[in-house]
Amino acid sequence: MNARAHREGRDGREGQDGRDGRKGGKDGRTGLRSVAGQVFALEALIALLVIAAAVFVIFHQAQRDTERDARIRSLAVAEAFAHAPGVDDALTSPDPTAALQKRAEATRLATGVDFVAVLSPAGVRYTDSKPELIGRVATGDLTRATVDGESFTELFRGAPNDAVRAVVPVVDEQGRTVGMVSSGIEVQSITDAVQDRLPLLVGAAGGALALAVGGAGLVSRRLRRQTHGLGPAEMTRMKEHHEAVLHAVREGVLIVGPDHRLLLANDEARRLLGLTAEAERRHVSELGLDPHTVELLTSGRAATDEVHRAGDRLLAVSVRPTLTAGAESGSVMTMRDTTELAAVTGRAAVARGRLQLLYEAGVRIGTTLEVVRTAEELAEVAVPRFADFATVELLEPVLRGEEPPQDAATTTEMRRTALNGLRPDQPLQPVGETIRFDVSSTPMATALAAGHAVAQAELASAEGWRAQDPEGAAQALAYGMHSLLTVPLLARGVLLGMANFWRADTPESFGEEDLSFAEELAARAAVAIDNARRFTREHAMAVTLQRSLLPRALPDQSAVDVAYRYLPAKAGVGGDWFDVIPLPGARVALVVGDVVGHGLHAAATMGRLRTAVHNFSTLDVPPDELLGHLDELTGRIDHRESEGPDVEGRRRDEGITGATCLYAIYDPASGRCAVASAGHPGPALVGPDGRVEFPELSPGLPLGLGLGDVPFETTELRLPEGSKLVLFTDGLLEDRGRDLDTGLALLGSTLARPDRTPEQTCADVLATLLSPSPRDDIALLVARTRLLDRERIAEWEVVRDPSAVSPVRNAAAAKLTEWGLDGLAFTAELILSELITNAVRYGADPVRVRLLHDRTLICEVSDGSSTSPHLRHATTTDEGGRGLYLVAQYAERWGTRYARRGKTIWAELRADDSDAEPMAAAVPDLDALEDLAW
């Protein structure tokens, strides 16, 4: 048929069908034969049935609910009345009716039940809402209450009325059933209550039906507008139009029947698949399609944008069943040509993958400030998404944290620092070996000389690389290594090392498009390696400075056995420190402190504070006063260093605000320990029996913050011999995985083990609390206390009378003879004479003398005056003033110690001094010395 005949035939059909369609449309708009009318009727019928069923269900549910409520109310009323006070007594009274009738009627009216009846055990009514029933026997089975003693509810049917009633036994104090209480609601009342709801229910149902019919009318009206009342002829014409559109679209469409035979293929599908007009009604396996496409069409499964081949084309295929359910459903397959799009998408995917890898490199490389670990992270990022194997070689100075040489580009050897690959059995040189580039034509040497990445697509043709190490090259080629990309690691224009990327399992060789990516990856890694190198150098310098400022050896003293540990943080040395300082009187000061921050500045600040503590310790003041002096000094330093421009920067970079300190003085003669804290955690006290305590201290403010406004406080502790005083910094307790309270609990459980030396205690504490990578410094000091033997202590109280000096002096000489220190007798008598005479003449009561025989002989004279003596040199015409000068000449050292009230002047003599009287010939008689003035 030619085009003109086709148009005429089509026009003729359209005219006839148009007239028929309009007529059918008019009929459809006014009758139930239209789709809209049928939909309206069906929806209205369904709504009517649903609403009727709902009314029925709700009515019966309301009846059941009302009956259940009647049971609950009846039982509650009966229970309440049966257990009401006096009911059991009334039942055993001569006239229960007179006692209970009014109460029962009042209860019925108050609770809204229809009856409340009190029955005898035999069922005789004592009370009832209907007086004529009193005295009659209640009908029904009441044995559950009278025999079993059980309360129950039931639907009772019988005289006088059907009712929901509850029966509760009344039990007296002896446990006997003396009666029953029955209450209930009549069935007629329940029915009336339900029927009262029926008008509302019917009204709601009517409203719901009206809404449903109205909704169906709206849906039918909308459907009528959308279909325009189309008749069959018009629907036929619409189908023809659809077929025309189907063949005009630029997307292939195949319709396959349930028997997997082709029903329809549009023009685009025939073009893409190479089908002929005779292909329809043939099985899909006979169409010459790709096997994967045939499998998809015959499997019956749905698919969306699956890529299938059709000759040299790539088709995006989607399949949907023609029916939503059923095994007899056919399928519709749509397809579009995506050959060019796939090529563009592939390139975009590669670029997107490279960008993602660069992003991951920025996140994963440089997570630590360790040179070796940073190099390993570079190798881990590159494998397997960019290379099959990756190696990183660094210059030796870089590994040590030193500055790389300026002429590093001319170097011929590096140290292999990292290696990562898909397989462990690789032929490359292992980590730690020296890698040389003696042959200038190797890809590595070429990249170093050029300063940019170099790709060797075919390793087999790289003559320089093979000449560098013939045996290693042969093994690599035999292993499958076929391509290499090498790139120098440059930071700030200085060479740090190089990275080599190898391919063995990946068939594609490195090309020009890989060079820029490799250089970007290497640049990011080089910055991280350089940061790690600089940190390594600074960390090493800080550790050196820190260790040089900490005690190298503990001083000799007899008060405590001491062990210590100091561990710098992995992230950088901080300002933690400790110290053991011998004090006069065989005492010892134990110190631990912490400076906020890390690095060289924190270490230097620690040294300044430690020196200040040593200097203030020579004043021999209580711990709170020493911390006060230290706090004042810290405040002055911070104020002085913050003057001038950039005040905040100088305080941040050079100030020492934020330091904490714990200072303790232990006296082995008395066993007392005085402790004060400036914002530092208190010590742990371990008794000889292993009991652990954390004494409560006044924490005070950190140094530099109090400025004297908030005084420090001293806490006195009494330590039995063999106790351990454990001082520590907060880095021991706090870590990423635990807080301070958890750390204290772990420390307490670790210390609670008696019979361990301080060294063993330090080792156990670190083994329990130390994390693999501590984020803060750790200083730990364990001191086991001793007590001075009471036989090596002598004390006297002196009356303030010059005549009392000689007896004390003679008693001291006798005590020295007892101790075997006869060689020190003259010197000790001389010193005691001067000190006691001065206290008697110029001091205040009480005056006491004490001798301590420790590593040295310690002579102490105390009085209640705070007047301090001064050393002066008397002239030849002076009558006095030589006494303290003689003390200074004969004593190893001497000084003054102030207490809360009064002072103590002390002098130390070496106990092993065999030449203790060098000036004896020039000294007058000891009794005459007592008359000399100071």
Side-chain angles (χ1 to χ4, degrees):
M1 181 184 297
N2 55 33
R4 179 179 180 182
H6 177 77
R7 284 195 303 269
E8 291 176 351
R10 185 185 63 186
D11 293 341
R13 289 194 302 270
E14 285 181 355
Q16 182 65 32
D17 293 343
R19 291 189 295 271
D20 296 342
R22 284 191 296 271
K23 182 179 178 180
K26 184 178 179 180
D27 294 341
R29 285 191 294 268
T30 58
L32 292 179
R33 293 185 178 181
S34 66
V35 174
Q38 294 176 1
V39 168
F40 171 78
L42 181 60
E43 288 185 349
L45 178 60
I46 292 175
L48 178 61
L49 294 177
V50 169
I51 293 172
V55 170
F56 177 80
V57 171
I58 292 174
F59 179 81
H60 283 275
Q61 184 63 40
Q63 189 172 13
R64 286 196 297 270
D65 291 344
T66 304
E67 181 180 335
R68 182 174 63 253
D69 179 65
R71 288 177 181 268
I72 295 173
R73 288 174 54 197
S74 300
L75 182 61
V77 172
E79 288 276 3
F81 194 91
H83 295 94
V87 174
D88 53 346
D89 294 335
L91 285 171
T92 56
S93 66
D95 190 359
T97 300
L100 297 176
Q101 173 64 20
K102 289 183 178 181
R103 292 179 61 182
E105 188 64 15
T107 301
R108 181 186 69 81
L109 295 175
T111 58
V113 296
D114 290 337
F115 63 88
V116 176
V118 180
L119 313 177
S120 70
V124 179
R125 291 185 176 87
Y126 288 146
T127 70
D128 199 275
S129 56
K130 296 180 180 180
E132 63 270 15
L133 297 179
I134 297 176
R136 296 184 182 182
V137 177
T139 58
D141 185 8
L142 302 176
T143 57
R144 292 173 61 185
T146 57
V147 178
D148 300 335
E150 177 185 351
S151 301
F152 66 92
T153 61
E154 64 178 355
L155 179 60
F156 173 75
R157 297 191 182 276
N161 294 302
D162 296 344
V164 173
R165 71 174 180 180
V167 180
V168 177
V170 180
V171 182
D172 62 5
E173 295 180 353
Q174 287 76 29
R176 298 174 303 172
T177 301
V178 297
M180 295 174 287
V181 176
S182 174
S183 67
I185 299 174
E186 295 179 356
V187 173
Q188 185 60 41
S189 299
I190 296 173
T191 302
D192 293 343
V194 175
Q195 289 177 350
D196 290 342
R197 302 181 189 178
L198 190 57
L200 178 62
L201 186 59
V202 173
L209 181 59
L211 288 176
V213 172
L218 292 176
V219 171
S220 177
R221 182 178 178 183
R222 183 174 181 82
L223 183 60
R224 186 178 295 111
R225 282 201 308 268
Q226 291 179 346
T227 58
H228 301 286
L230 293 177
E234 290 167 322
M235 297 295 292
T236 301
R237 185 176 63 180
M238 183 179 294
K239 177 179 179 299
E240 293 176 351
H241 290 172
H242 286 174
E243 288 184 352
V245 173
L246 181 66
H247 292 286
V249 296
R250 303 302 298 172
E251 184 168 306
V253 178
L254 290 181
I255 300 179
V256 179
D259 57 354
H260 303 148
R261 293 184 178 275
L262 180 63
L263 299 180
L264 174 66
N266 70 346
D267 294 341
E268 182 66 10
R270 293 192 181 98
R271 185 184 70 83
L272 294 175
L273 299 177
L275 302 178
T276 62
E278 292 79 16
E280 293 185 2
R281 305 308 305 171
R282 295 176 62 182
H283 197 276
V284 293
S285 60
E286 303 173 0
L287 301 178
L289 304 178
D290 182 76
H292 295 289
T293 307
V294 174
E295 186 275 332
L296 175 61
L297 288 172
T298 58
S299 64
R301 64 182 178 88
T304 301
D305 289 338
E306 287 191 7
V307 178
H308 291 256
R309 286 192 173 275
D312 57 352
R313 292 188 178 93
L314 292 177
L315 305 180
V317 175
S318 299
V319 177
R320 293 292 184 273
T322 54
L323 298 178
T324 57
E328 298 300 324
S329 174
S331 59
V332 177
M333 183 175 75
T334 61
M335 65 197 77
R336 63 183 183 276
D337 192 352
T338 60
T339 305
E340 295 182 2
L341 179 61
V344 175
T345 303
R347 290 192 295 270
V350 172
R352 185 169 57 252
R354 294 290 172 84
L355 289 175
Q356 180 66 25
L357 186 56
L358 286 176
Y359 169 76
E360 293 181 9
V363 174
R364 294 174 55 185
I365 298 176
T367 58
T368 65
L369 289 173
E370 298 179 3
V371 174
V372 174
R373 180 56 193 154
T374 304
E376 292 173 348
E377 290 170 343
L378 169 58
E380 291 171 358
V381 166
V383 178
R385 295 168 61 181
F386 180 65
D388 299 333
F389 295 88
T391 61
V392 180
E393 290 79 43
L394 298 178
L395 297 171
E396 288 287 354
V398 175
L399 289 172
R400 296 192 298 267
E402 303 172 2
E403 286 287 343
Q406 295 297 323
D407 58 346
T410 62
T411 186
T412 59
E413 64 180 40
M414 296 181 184
R415 180 76 61 185
R416 176 149 292 171
T417 309
L419 189 154
N420 188 35
L422 295 176
R423 292 174 282 169
D425 57 333
Q426 42 78 28
L428 303 175
Q429 291 174 263
V431 172
E433 287 198 5
T434 300
I435 308 300
R436 291 180 173 82
F437 316 114
D438 299 328
V439 180
S440 60
S441 60
T442 62
M444 295 80 167
T446 303
L448 291 177
H452 57 73
V454 172
Q456 183 66 48
E458 296 294 335
L459 277 176
S461 61
E463 298 296 337
W465 174 72
R466 298 177 65 179
Q468 175 71 43
D469 182 10
E471 183 179 354
Q475 292 177 357
L477 292 174
Y479 184 81
M481 298 286 186
H482 63 85
S483 186
L484 166 67
L485 192 154
T486 180
V487 56
L489 299 175
L490 299 172
R492 299 176 288 112
V494 179
L495 179 68
L496 305 177
M498 66 185 316
N500 295 308
F501 305 106
W502 311 76
R503 283 184 178 174
D505 296 349
T506 304
E508 294 82 7
S509 299
F510 288 111
E512 294 297 326
E513 67 277 4
D514 298 314
L515 295 179
S516 59
F517 170 78
E519 289 181 346
E520 179 67 22
L521 182 62
R524 298 191 182 196
V527 172
I529 292 173
D530 190 52
N531 290 339
R533 177 197 62 78
R534 297 169 66 182
F535 173 80
T536 301
R537 180 184 60 180
E538 182 177 342
H539 185 267
M541 295 172 61
V543 168
T544 302
L545 176 62
Q546 177 86 335
R547 295 195 181 279
S548 67
L549 295 175
L550 288 173
R552 297 190 178 184
L554 297 181
D556 293 332
Q557 44 81 35
S558 303
V560 291
D561 292 328
V562 179
Y564 65 90
R565 294 290 189 275
Y566 170 76
L567 296 175
K570 294 292 185 182
V573 174
D576 292 12
W577 92 91
F578 65 92
D579 218 332
V580 179
I581 306 173
L583 298 178
R587 297 168 303 140
V588 65
L590 305 173
V591 192
V592 66
D594 186 3
V595 176
V596 175
H598 295 85
L600 291 172
H601 174 66
T605 300
M606 178 274 296
R608 299 165 74 180
L609 290 179
R610 180 169 177 256
T611 301
V613 170
H614 265 277
N615 293 335
F616 288 134
S617 295
T618 61
L619 300 177
D620 202 1
V621 294
D624 57 338
E625 293 186 26
L626 184 140
L627 291 180
H629 291 310
L630 193 61
D631 179 60
E632 182 181 1
L633 174 65
T634 302
R636 288 203 308 269
I637 293 175
D638 280 344
H639 179 72
R640 183 170 61 252
E641 292 184 344
S642 63
E643 294 177 350
D646 192 16
V647 174
E648 293 299 328
R650 292 178 62 84
R651 285 187 64 86
R652 181 177 62 252
D653 298 335
E654 301 178 10
I656 58 178
T657 299
T660 63
C661 182
L662 182 72
Y663 190 87
I665 297 178
Y666 173 69
D667 185 359
S670 62
R672 291 189 178 91
C673 181
V675 187
S677 170
H680 198 87
L685 179 59
V686 185
D689 57 353
R691 186 167 58 91
V692 180
E693 297 180 11
F694 293 94
E696 291 287 340
L697 303 182
S698 177
L701 293 175
L703 299 174
L705 298 180
L707 300 179
D709 297 335
V710 181
F712 299 100
E713 297 182 15
T714 296
T715 301
E716 293 282 346
L717 304 175
R718 180 172 291 277
L719 308 181
E721 185 173 13
S723 301
K724 294 189 187 73
L725 193 65
V726 182
L727 284 68
F728 51 85
T729 56
D730 56 3
L732 178 69
L733 305 180
E734 295 179 323
D735 202 6
R736 294 180 178 87
R738 63 171 181 262
D739 55 14
L740 182 62
D741 294 337
T742 305
L744 282 175
L746 282 175
L747 178 61
S749 61
T750 305
L751 294 175
R753 303 174 190 169
D755 304 328
R756 289 183 303 167
T757 65
E759 280 290 337
Q760 293 171 334
T761 301
C762 286
D764 291 346
V765 168
L766 290 186
T768 302
L769 278 80
L770 184 62
S771 63
S773 298
R775 63 178 181 180
D776 197 3
D777 287 16
I778 295 175
L780 174 65
L781 187 67
V782 179
R784 184 170 57 188
T785 61
R786 299 174 180 165
L787 286 178
L788 197 62
D789 189 355
R790 299 304 302 176
E791 298 297 327
R792 299 170 74 92
I793 303 175
E795 297 179 284
W796 298 274
E797 188 157 347
V798 183
V799 181
R800 291 191 62 208
D801 186 345
S803 63
V805 177
S806 293
V808 175
R809 187 185 65 206
N810 296 333
K815 179 59 70 173
L816 293 178
T817 301
E818 179 183 336
W819 287 344
L821 300 177
D822 294 320
L824 296 178
F826 176 80
T827 306
E829 289 184 64
L830 171 64
I831 292 174
L832 287 175
S833 294
E834 296 303 327
L835 298 181
I836 297 173
T837 301
N838 181 70
V840 170
R841 288 183 177 179
Y842 308 110
D845 287 330
V847 178
R848 295 186 177 88
V849 178
R850 186 171 73 165
L851 294 180
L852 301 176
H853 183 197
D854 190 37
R855 294 173 181 267
T856 60
L857 177 64
I858 305 167
C859 304
E860 296 181 347
V861 177
S862 306
D863 68 87
S865 171
S866 298
T867 304
S868 176
H870 298 282
L871 177 65
R872 57 193 178 95
H873 300 275
T875 64
T876 55
T877 60
D878 290 340
E879 295 183 1
R882 297 178 177 84
L884 198 59
Y885 176 75
L886 292 176
V887 171
Q889 290 296 314
Y890 275 85
E892 182 75 18
R893 59 178 185 148
W894 72 280
T896 304
R897 178 170 70 252
Y898 293 92
R900 299 297 180 190
R901 180 177 178 273
K903 66 179 181 297
T904 299
I905 303 177
W906 55 270
E908 288 187 4
L909 301 174
R910 285 190 297 175
D912 58 349
D913 195 345
S914 60
D915 189 17
E917 302 180 16
M919 300 176 63
V923 176
D925 183 75
L926 293 179
D927 292 324
L929 284 174
E930 297 174 4
D931 297 328
L932 296 177
W934 289 48

